[in-house]
Structures are given as structure tokens and as C-alpha cells.
Amino acid sequence: MAFLHPWVCVFVGCFSVSLAGTDNLTTLYPPLWEESPGQFSDYKVENGKYIIDPWIYLERIGAYKILTNKTSMFFERFEGGSEENILWGLALQHGWQYSSGRLVDPTQKSNCGYESNHLCISVDSWWADLNYFLCALPFFAAVDSGIMGISSDQVLFLPPPVEQTKFCFSVSSCKSSYPELMRKWNLFYQYMKSPFSSFDDLLKYYWEAHTSTLDATYRTFEDRIEYYSKPEGDFERNWLLLVKYLTEMRFPTTLNRTHEFQEGLPPRMLVSGDQPPFISNFTNLQNTVLFALDVLYKVDSATGSFSLTLWKIFMEIPGARVLALEIFEEVFKIFNQKWL
């Protein structure tokens, strides 16, 4: 196509995903997955409500674990079974944020998230705050839709120590504060429960809810970016743009694909002096991914987001999304053979 500029090839090459299976799925799970709560009864109960503290890593990842467990049956009809549950992407992303140190207090005014208190999730973390809504809203919408097996008033998230007004903590408060976002997550679950919905349909509604959630909440936490080094702040900015491209492609956030995708993400916080593609303790893939993201952002800015518009047009062509994923896989294999 005439509008497939060279930057698309860079983008495609860097975010290729291997479809290779694995005999031991537990190696793909987020950190401390086995140790985290897996059912509501694993949490404490007060006044007839299950109390989840989303500012402790084990309790937030436990909420994702319950969500994936309760929804896995709806993906059994697809080839690959429960591993095809596209909600795995949310859990694995939170796991990467934890393992890469992105949930710690970036102000360093507390020990939250650091070695002596490594399970603590800081309310001052940009990553943690945006992820909160990609946990709370899909979780509470699942409760509201009847999937979780409890009533809407039976579960509560605890607030952070400060700035409580920026968050919602229950089905009712999230529906009150974010009615349109809750509606979109509920719509996703409605289609998920339908035996007639296709996998592509589910991806469409999932990504619409996912992207809408980020669009509606990221400005609330823009002040957090000043706590980070310039390379990390640039990466956060670039990450939000990447999500828009993945949305249009309807990237399948299954267990295997998300795990392979995250192999290209930075394994630690970026610090002053980090300059991709020349970060010495990053893999070639991680360096190239970061470099490509920066190129993508610069192209998008220079074209007034016209490049994203072209990408959207291309993704609407029948078969284009399937072709893009196939190219991702093939170029990734070539990349591995050449560099790894």
C-alpha cells in the first residue's frame, strides 16, 4: 500500500510476537502468581464485604487472578483454551510493572516498593495509578455483570493513603464516577458471555474499553511524570501512543502472545544517560523496541497523528490485522536469528 511508510516496518519488526507454545505455562505467569489470592475467600471480610488492598502487589495481582479464573470458561471454545483469555494481558502487564520496579515510590520519600517493602504499590507511581483503573474497572464491571458469583455490594477496594478522591473503590462508586467506562467494560463481558461472539469481536470490545480507560484517566496523573528521569518519562509518553496502535490492530493479549511481547520491554526503570539503542545491559530486542517507540512518537508528532490515521485505515482493510500479526511473527524470527 502506498501509505505503508518505512516507520511501519520498524514498528512491525520491533513488536513481533512469537507464537511458540510452551509445555510449562507457569513460567509465563506474572511474578508471585502462585502465592497470590485466587478466590474471594482468600481475602479478609468486614461487614459482609470482601476487602482487597490494591496498594499491595499480592492483593492487586490476586484480583487479576480471580478475574482470569472466573472468565477462563468463556474462552474454552477457542483453540488454545483458557490460555486464549485476553484478560491475561492485564495481569501480565501488572507483573512486568512489578518486576521492572515501576510500582515503587518515584519520589523516594518512602520505602514503598523498594527492597524492604517490595510488595507495596506507591500511589505516586504513574504506572501504578493508570494500572489501578485497568484493574478496578474491569474487575468491578465483571462483578456487576454477574460473572464473579457475588453481588455488586460484596467487594471493596481500600483507598490509598492520600488522594483518595482520584479513585473509585466499589461497583457503585466506579459506576458513579466513570459510567461510560463501566458501560464499555460491561459491554465487553456481555459479548464474552455470548456463545456467538467471535474472538475478533472480543478483541474489538476489549481494546475499546482498555483504550477508553487510559484516555479518560491519564491526565489525572500527568503530574507524576515529573518524578521520573527524562528517558522514563519519554517511555511513558510513548507507551500511551503504542497502545493506540495495538488497539487498531486488535493485538491478542493472550497468555503466550503477551509474554513474548513483554520480552521486548525494558526490564528496569530508565535512568538519565539511557539512550536506546545503546543501553548496555538491555538486550538488542529491548534496545530496538525503545528506539522504535521513540521514532513512532516523533513521526506521529511530526504528522499531527496522520500516521495513526493511516494505520487505522490500513487496519480496516479485510485481512490486514491478520497479515500484520503474521508479519510480526516472521520478522521477530528473523530478528532472533540475526541478533540473538
Side-chain angles (χ1 to χ4, degrees):
M1 302 298 292
F3 48 80
L4 283 181
H5 298 295
W7 65 264
V8 174
C9 298
V10 174
F11 177 71
V12 166
C14 292
F15 294 97
S16 306
V17 179
S18 170
L19 303 182
T22 177
D23 293 328
N24 186 10
L25 290 175
T26 59
T27 63
L28 308 185
Y29 294 160
L32 304 178
W33 187 257
E34 298 297 328
E35 295 87 342
S36 66
Q39 52 192 355
F40 284 108
S41 59
D42 292 333
Y43 291 95
K44 64 181 178 181
V45 179
E46 293 180 3
N47 300 319
K49 298 180 187 291
Y50 297 105
I51 307 299
I52 298 175
D53 188 347
W55 305 101
I56 297 176
Y57 173 74
L58 280 178
E59 299 212 12
R60 191 185 294 194
I61 201 69
Y64 282 125
K65 189 175 182 179
I66 294 174
L67 183 60
T68 55
N69 286 343
K70 293 290 187 179
T71 56
S72 62
M73 60 179 290
F74 298 104
F75 292 86
E76 293 290 347
R77 68 182 186 271
F78 301 115
E79 184 179 355
S82 60
E83 289 78 37
E84 293 299 290
N85 188 339
I86 58 181
L87 291 168
W88 272 114
L90 295 175
L92 266 66
Q93 269 293 282
H94 187 51
W96 164 74
Q97 291 165 355
Y98 169 76
S99 64
S100 65
R102 287 178 164 81
L103 302 179
V104 307
D105 179 0
T107 70
Q108 300 185 28
K109 294 179 180 178
S110 74
N111 67 349
C112 185
Y114 293 96
E115 186 174 352
S116 62
N117 194 14
H118 66 97
L119 295 178
C120 177
I121 296 177
S122 174
V123 71
D124 288 316
S125 164
W126 181 88
W127 294 96
D129 291 341
L130 266 64
N131 175 264
Y132 179 90
F133 291 95
L134 287 174
C135 177
L137 297 185
F139 183 87
F140 286 132
V143 172
D144 192 45
S145 67
I147 290 172
M148 304 292 248
I150 62 173
S151 64
S152 295
D153 62 352
Q154 276 187 278
V155 61
L156 184 71
F157 278 13
L158 292 180
V162 295
E163 299 187 296
Q164 292 92 342
T165 58
K166 292 184 176 181
F167 304 90
C168 61
F169 309 105
S170 64
V171 171
S172 59
S173 68
C174 288
K175 288 178 74 173
S176 175
S177 299
Y178 302 97
E180 183 60 18
L181 297 181
M182 287 288 283
R183 185 192 70 79
K184 289 185 176 183
W185 282 109
N186 268 297
L187 188 60
F188 163 68
Y189 292 123
Q190 177 184 326
Y191 276 85
M192 185 185 72
K193 290 189 290 185
S194 170
F196 306 108
S197 58
S198 68
F199 192 70
D200 192 59
D201 285 338
L202 294 179
L203 285 171
K204 173 186 176 182
Y205 288 103
Y206 165 80
W207 276 112
E208 184 173 344
H210 185 127
T211 306
S212 297
T213 298
L214 289 179
D215 286 344
T217 58
Y218 82 92
R219 289 187 180 86
T220 304
F221 304 102
E222 280 186 311
D223 62 320
R224 307 288 201 256
I225 295 179
E226 68 185 36
Y227 299 145
Y228 297 92
S229 68
K230 186 178 186 304
E232 181 69 19
D234 289 346
F235 175 56
E236 293 165 357
R237 172 202 67 190
N238 297 347
W239 179 259
L240 291 175
L241 178 62
L242 170 64
V243 170
K244 295 181 183 295
Y245 281 84
L246 295 179
T247 296
E248 297 305 321
M249 194 179 69
R250 296 182 193 172
F251 179 83
T253 49
T254 59
L255 180 62
N256 277 299
R257 287 181 185 268
T258 303
H259 175 79
E260 294 293 339
F261 169 80
Q262 291 187 163
E263 300 244 331
L265 299 184
R268 61 162 173 80
M269 296 278 286
L270 299 176
V271 297
S272 297
D274 282 338
Q275 186 176 354
F278 307 111
I279 304 176
S280 60
N281 57 352
F282 281 16
T283 66
N284 286 301
L285 177 61
Q286 290 160 357
N287 266 299
T288 309
V289 163
L290 288 173
F291 179 76
L293 275 179
D294 195 53
V295 170
L296 188 67
Y297 182 84
K298 289 176 180 177
V299 170
D300 185 81
S301 298
T303 62
S305 292
F306 185 59
S307 55
L308 178 59
T309 300
L310 293 181
W311 181 251
K312 291 180 180 179
I313 294 172
F314 176 58
M315 289 296 101
E316 290 301 317
I317 298 173
R321 287 190 294 273
V322 173
L323 176 61
L325 282 172
E326 290 176 350
I327 294 174
F328 272 31
E329 179 186 12
E330 190 58 34
V331 177
F332 185 77
K333 289 178 180 177
I334 296 172
F335 182 89
N336 273 339
Q337 291 171 358
K338 183 175 181 181
W339 296 104
L340 304 180

